């Protein structure tokens, strides 16, 4: 007796549906992707009871003939692939031909379609119940396709029980449609829930992809989120094929990263407003998530996530979109290189933002030269020896330069890096994407919709200090608060990194009693390949056996009470940083913790001249608007906001 039998087609479709159709949002995703592939310009989605009772997706796309309408119900019937080689360069949203038959096998399904360019006056309608065709007939319908899915999982009660509440299922549908709307701003989207229109995104016309995307972002996020445009191109060098001889230079693949990211200080506690696309496909990829955080680095507080809408465009042959049944995840052929370039695109955008804000510091009068609008309120005299900022800096860095070297020099390919060292005499403001939040950190747009000079480029008059921490300044636009600890942290941080860059290697101090550290085999093998990198960081590690290392030196500012834990954390940091890590970048976290201990504190009283010097030094920083931990150094409250708080305006 044969034990192995072929499954009936209906059962096979239901098994496939279990992989493709996880919840109502999966149905919406598959049907909308088919509509986008069919060149639709308007897509309408209607759902009932969170998608349980009804999902209807209607588009004005190319439509199908009667024969194609019947053929699309067969498994693996698709218009998007011809040969097996096509799988290596997929440029469409759908491609497997499993969605329609899978959905039809677990619902009461109706397909109505008419070809856009056909002379036939009637459409084709196919009615299916649980995978069985009940009727095929002519129907009246405009050009395009309408797919109606009722009673999802009606014949699989066990799967239906696993659906969440209506609110949860609706939220998943809205989340996907938001992603689709961002990826295709030229397409209009409408969502109706339980007979009522929930939201509409009309098509956005733009001369460029960035302008149309910005219009769609404003529809999704509103107008009060300050954004920075990203447009970065590079070449991804491909690894040689081990089965083919290497002749000449290694092939390269062009890569473009474009879109928008939030300014420093704009963040969320979750990744909910973090939209990432690869060749217009919304994706989940841990490497891209890490690259985003790596790019923000000291411009983002720990535990916070940036707001962004970023597109990564590269050759479809360099991306595998077939690694997940629901096509949510992708895999890059050169994952480390793509991750590194995305991080660089974000980092250079933030550096350019800060450098453009600070590029005309020579055109701004020093604080003491600013003509006061009224007599300044005297700063309380220090009750102890005043803190000399230059001396404090010298204490940390031994001989820190008085002029801060630009951190952007680490990225020689960045055209802005060299410009930061010598400020221009004429300031050319960046093209405003939206009303910039005055410099860094407030999420409140307190000024009218007009291009504004950056905060550190306007005259600032010293008013006083409150709480022995917050320096009160006045500008022609309103009130400015400066956190003296955060500002001094940023100044010391950049000076210490500038010295690290100049020397190429961190200082190292021998331990009186070297420590032996035994590691698991995997960590030991990894560490063995990175001993040179650690040496440049000032960490003295050498092999002392098969899986044992001898720790005999550390940077002077590092206190490692538990050597084994310290080495394991270094291994984790090296793994997270990936290939191409440099000693300066890996040591930034340690430097940030060090300057936090040396910076002026909340109760350190500073005299007027010292506060003025603090602002002057901050103006010379490369990224002056956040401390190394991502907290704001300055916050501005405009006149309009102050008047509103005092009830002077409506």
């Amino acid at each position: 007796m044969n034990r192995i039998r072929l499954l009936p087609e209906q059962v096979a479709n239901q098994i496939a549906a279990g992989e493709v159709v996880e919840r109502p949002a999966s149905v919406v995703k598959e049907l909308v992707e088919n509509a986008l592939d069919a060149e639709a310009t308007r897509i309408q989605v209607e759902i009932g009871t969170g998608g349980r009772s009804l999902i209807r997706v209607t588009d004005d796309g190319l439509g199908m003939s009667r024969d194609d309408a019947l053929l699309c119900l067969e498994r693996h019937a698709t218009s998007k692939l011809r040969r097996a080689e096509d799988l290596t360069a997929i440029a469409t949203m759908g491609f497997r031909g499993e969605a329609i038959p899978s959905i039809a096998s677990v619902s009461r399904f109706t397909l109505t379609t008419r070809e856009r360019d056909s002379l036939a006056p009637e459409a084709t309608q196919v009615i299916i119940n649980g995978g069985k065709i009940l009727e095929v007939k002519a129907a009246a319908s405009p050009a395009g396709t309408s797919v109606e899915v009722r009673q999802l999982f009606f014949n699989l009660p066990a799967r239906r029980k696993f659906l969440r509440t209506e609110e949860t299922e609706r939220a998943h549908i809205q989340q996907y449609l938001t992603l689709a709307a961002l990826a295709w701003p030229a397409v209009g989207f409408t969502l109706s829930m339980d007979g009522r229109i929930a939201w509409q995104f009309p098509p956005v016309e733009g001369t460029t992809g960035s302008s149309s995307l910005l219009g769609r972002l404003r529809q999704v996020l509103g107008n009060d989120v300050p954004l920075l445009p990203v447009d970065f191109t590079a070449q991804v060098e491909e690894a040689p094929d081990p089965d083919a001889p290497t002749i000449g230079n290694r092939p390269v693949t062009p890569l473009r990263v474009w879109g928008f990211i939030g300014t420093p200080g704009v963040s969320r506690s979750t990744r909910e407003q973090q939209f990432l696309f690869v060749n217009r496909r919304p994706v989940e990829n841990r490497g891209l998530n890490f690259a985003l955080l790596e790019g923000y680095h000291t411009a983002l507080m720990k535990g916070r996530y940036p707001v962004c809408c970023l597109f990564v465009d590269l050759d479809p042959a360099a991306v595998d979109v077939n690694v997940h049944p629901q096509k949510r995840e992708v895999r890059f052929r050169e994952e480390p290189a793509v991750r590194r370039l995305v991080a660089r695109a974000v980092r250079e955008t933030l550096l350019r933002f800060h450098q453009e804000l600070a590029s005309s510091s020579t055109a701004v009068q020093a604080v003491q030269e600013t003509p006061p609008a009224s007599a300044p309120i005297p700063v309380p005299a220090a009750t102890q020896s005043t803190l000399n900022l230059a001396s404090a800096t010298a204490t940390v860095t031994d001989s820190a330069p008085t002029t801060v070297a630009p951190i952007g020099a680490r990225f020689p390919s960045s055209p802005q890096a060299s410009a930061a060292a010598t400020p221009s005499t004429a300031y050319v403001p960046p093209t405003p994407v939206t009303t910039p939040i005055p410099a860094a950190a407030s999420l409140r747009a307190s000024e009218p919709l007009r291009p504004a000079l950056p905060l550190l480029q306007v005259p600032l008059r010293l008013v006083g200090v409150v709480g022995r921490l917050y320096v009160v300044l006045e500008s022609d636009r309103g009130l400015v608060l400066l956190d003296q600890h955060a500002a001094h942290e940023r100044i010391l941080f950049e000076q210490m990194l500038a010295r690290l860059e100049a020397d190429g290697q961190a200082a190292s101090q021998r331990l009186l009693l070297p420590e032996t550290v035994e590691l698991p085999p995997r960590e030991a093998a990894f560490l063995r390949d990175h001993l040179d990198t650690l040496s440049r960081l000032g960490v003295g590690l050498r092999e002392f056996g098969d899986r044992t290392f001898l720790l005999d030196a550390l940077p002077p500012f590092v206190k490692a009470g538990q050597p084994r834990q310290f080495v394991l954390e270094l291994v984790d940091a090296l793994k997270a940083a990936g290939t191409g890590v440099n000693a300066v970048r890996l040591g930034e976290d340690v430097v940030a913790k060090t300057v936090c201990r040396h910076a002026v504190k909340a109760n350190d009283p500073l005299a007027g001249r010292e506060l003025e010097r603090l602002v002057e030094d901050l103006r010379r920083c490369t990224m002056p608007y956040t401390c190394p931990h991502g907290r704001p150094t300055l916050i501005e409250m405009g006149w309009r906001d102050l008047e509103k708080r005092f009830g002077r305006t409506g």
Side-chain angles (χ1 to χ4, degrees):
M1 178 180 178
N2 293 334
R3 295 183 178 180
I4 299 177
R5 297 184 299 273
L6 286 174
L7 289 173
E9 183 178 356
Q10 184 178 0
V11 177
N13 283 337
Q14 290 182 353
I15 293 174
E19 296 180 349
V20 177
V21 184
E22 178 186 5
R23 61 193 338 144
S26 306
V27 176
V28 174
K29 176 180 182 294
E30 297 292 345
L31 298 180
V32 169
E33 285 181 351
N34 283 341
L36 292 170
D37 286 338
E39 302 176 9
T41 60
R42 293 185 180 273
I43 299 175
Q44 182 175 354
V45 179
E46 303 168 68
I47 62 172
T49 61
R52 295 167 181 262
S53 62
L54 171 67
I55 298 172
R56 185 186 293 117
V57 177
T58 305
D59 67 68
D60 61 351
L62 296 174
M64 291 180 285
S65 65
R66 179 186 178 93
D67 291 340
D68 283 346
L70 292 172
L71 190 58
C72 79
L73 298 170
E74 301 293 331
R75 289 191 68 199
H76 304 302
T78 177
S79 62
K80 300 155 191 175
L81 293 179
R82 292 288 185 271
R83 305 169 301 164
E85 290 78 6
D86 294 341
L87 280 171
T88 62
I90 295 171
T92 55
M93 296 294 103
F95 54 89
R96 287 193 288 246
E98 290 183 302
I100 296 297
S102 298
I103 295 169
S105 68
V106 293
S107 66
R108 305 187 192 278
F109 183 94
T110 302
L111 169 67
T112 306
T113 182
R114 183 167 77 87
E115 282 188 290
R116 180 191 294 172
D117 300 326
S118 174
L119 298 177
E122 58 188 25
T124 301
Q125 188 173 79
V126 184
I127 301 175
I128 303 173
N129 189 355
K132 295 180 180 180
I133 297 179
L134 300 183
E135 188 177 5
V136 181
K137 62 181 181 180
S141 174
T145 301
S146 175
V147 178
E148 182 179 281
V149 178
R150 292 186 178 273
Q151 296 179 314
L152 184 64
F153 298 134
F154 80 98
N155 52 351
L156 293 176
R159 290 292 306 276
R160 193 174 178 88
K161 290 178 181 177
F162 277 90
L163 294 179
R164 303 300 181 186
T165 63
E166 291 182 23
E167 292 76 12
T168 300
E169 299 301 341
R170 278 199 294 262
H172 282 282
I173 292 172
Q174 292 188 73
Q175 174 66 12
Y176 168 72
L177 286 177
T178 299
L179 293 171
L182 288 171
W184 302 85
V187 178
F189 290 84
T190 302
L191 172 63
S192 300
M193 298 190 295
D194 300 317
R196 301 179 61 183
I197 294 180
W199 49 254
Q200 285 182 304
F201 292 152
V204 180
E205 296 182 0
T207 56
T208 63
S210 295
S211 61
S212 58
L213 173 61
L214 180 61
R216 182 53 54 84
L217 274 171
R218 290 303 171 218
Q219 293 175 351
V220 173
L221 300 179
N223 294 318
D224 59 345
V225 179
L227 300 170
L228 300 176
V230 179
D231 199 345
F232 173 87
T233 57
Q235 301 286 336
V236 179
E237 190 175 82
E238 299 182 13
D241 187 349
D243 299 326
T246 302
I247 301 176
N249 297 329
R250 292 166 58 179
V252 295
T253 299
L255 175 141
R256 183 188 179 204
V257 181
W258 64 281
F260 294 89
I261 60 175
T263 58
V266 177
S267 63
R268 297 292 182 270
S269 58
T270 67
R271 289 193 174 96
E272 189 174 335
Q273 291 188 1
Q274 200 172 99
F275 310 116
L276 298 172
F277 303 85
V278 175
N279 293 342
R280 280 202 176 186
R281 184 186 301 276
V283 299
E284 297 175 6
N285 183 274
R286 293 182 62 186
L288 293 181
N289 291 336
F290 177 84
L292 193 58
L293 293 176
E294 179 78 2
Y296 269 85
H297 192 43
T298 61
L300 195 68
M301 291 177 62
K302 187 176 182 180
R304 305 289 294 183
Y305 298 94
V307 173
C308 75
C309 183
L310 282 183
F311 290 76
V312 180
D313 294 342
L314 72 167
D315 185 356
V319 188
D320 187 355
V321 300
N322 200 24
V323 296
H324 192 277
Q326 297 168 26
K327 297 171 290 186
R328 282 201 302 248
E329 300 176 6
V330 298
R331 183 170 55 197
F332 299 101
R333 190 163 60 197
E334 301 298 334
E335 182 99 19
V338 171
R339 187 181 75 178
R340 186 170 59 251
L341 290 172
V342 171
R344 181 173 147 196
V346 174
R347 189 182 304 118
E348 289 189 2
T349 299
L350 294 174
L351 283 170
R352 184 167 60 250
F353 168 72
H354 283 276
Q355 290 165 1
E356 286 174 340
L357 299 190
S359 61
S360 67
S361 59
T362 56
V364 181
Q365 296 295 325
V367 176
Q368 67 271 21
E369 296 175 354
T370 302
S374 58
I377 299 175
V379 180
T383 57
Q384 57 184 14
S385 298
T386 56
L387 177 64
N388 187 297
L389 299 181
S391 300
T393 301
T395 302
V396 179
T397 61
D398 294 334
S399 59
T402 56
T403 301
V404 180
I407 303 301
R410 274 176 289 165
F411 310 105
S413 60
S414 171
Q416 292 78 19
S418 58
T422 306
S424 59
T425 56
Y427 171 68
V428 181
T431 302
V433 177
T434 181
T435 303
I437 289 256
S442 175
L443 294 179
R444 183 185 301 110
S446 57
E447 290 297 317
L449 292 176
R450 60 179 176 83
L453 280 174
L455 183 54
L456 285 175
Q457 288 186 321
V458 299
L460 297 174
R461 185 177 69 88
L462 179 62
V463 176
V465 179
V466 293
R468 290 199 170 187
L469 174 62
Y470 302 110
V471 182
V472 183
L473 304 163
E474 180 190 7
S475 73
D476 60 350
R477 303 192 311 219
L479 180 70
V480 179
L481 294 176
L482 179 144
D483 184 328
Q484 68 180 32
H485 175 71
H488 199 205
E489 273 189 311
R490 168 55 65 180
I491 295 166
L492 296 182
F493 177 77
E494 294 201 4
Q495 289 177 341
M496 290 186 71
L497 286 186
R499 188 176 180 201
L500 274 177
E501 289 175 341
D503 296 343
Q505 182 166 344
S508 183
Q509 184 173 352
R510 289 283 177 180
L511 300 181
L512 291 176
L513 298 174
E515 299 273 359
T516 57
V517 180
E518 186 174 357
L519 299 177
R522 187 174 181 179
E523 280 72 13
F526 180 86
L527 187 60
R528 196 174 293 114
D529 296 333
H530 292 80
L531 291 179
D532 290 342
T533 298
L534 294 176
S535 176
R536 293 196 302 273
L537 273 174
V539 179
L541 268 174
R542 50 193 173 90
E543 294 184 69
F544 199 64
D546 187 25
R547 294 188 291 113
T548 304
F549 296 83
L550 190 68
L551 178 65
D552 57 10
L554 286 172
F557 44 78
V558 172
K559 306 298 181 185
Q562 297 178 325
R564 185 178 186 276
Q565 184 63 30
F566 173 74
V567 173
L568 286 174
E569 290 176 357
L570 275 179
V571 171
D572 292 340
L574 281 168
K575 287 181 178 179
T579 58
V581 64
N582 61 61
V584 174
R585 171 61 188 88
L586 192 58
E588 284 182 1
D589 290 334
V590 178
V591 174
K593 294 176 183 177
T594 303
V595 298
C596 185
R597 294 194 297 266
H598 288 82
V600 294
K601 303 298 189 296
N603 290 318
D604 292 339
L606 302 182
R609 176 54 192 157
E610 290 169 327
L611 293 173
E612 293 166 359
R613 175 65 181 274
L614 187 69
V615 176
E616 293 169 6
D617 289 345
L618 191 62
R619 279 188 169 123
R620 286 194 288 267
C621 287
T622 306
M623 298 183 69
Y625 297 110
T626 60
C627 79
H629 309 292
R631 292 190 295 271
T633 57
L634 295 147
I635 293 178
E636 182 178 32
M637 295 181 65
W639 298 124
R640 175 176 295 184
D641 190 50
L642 288 171
E643 290 171 353
K644 184 177 180 180
R645 288 174 177 268
F646 281 102
R648 292 181 174 272
T649 59

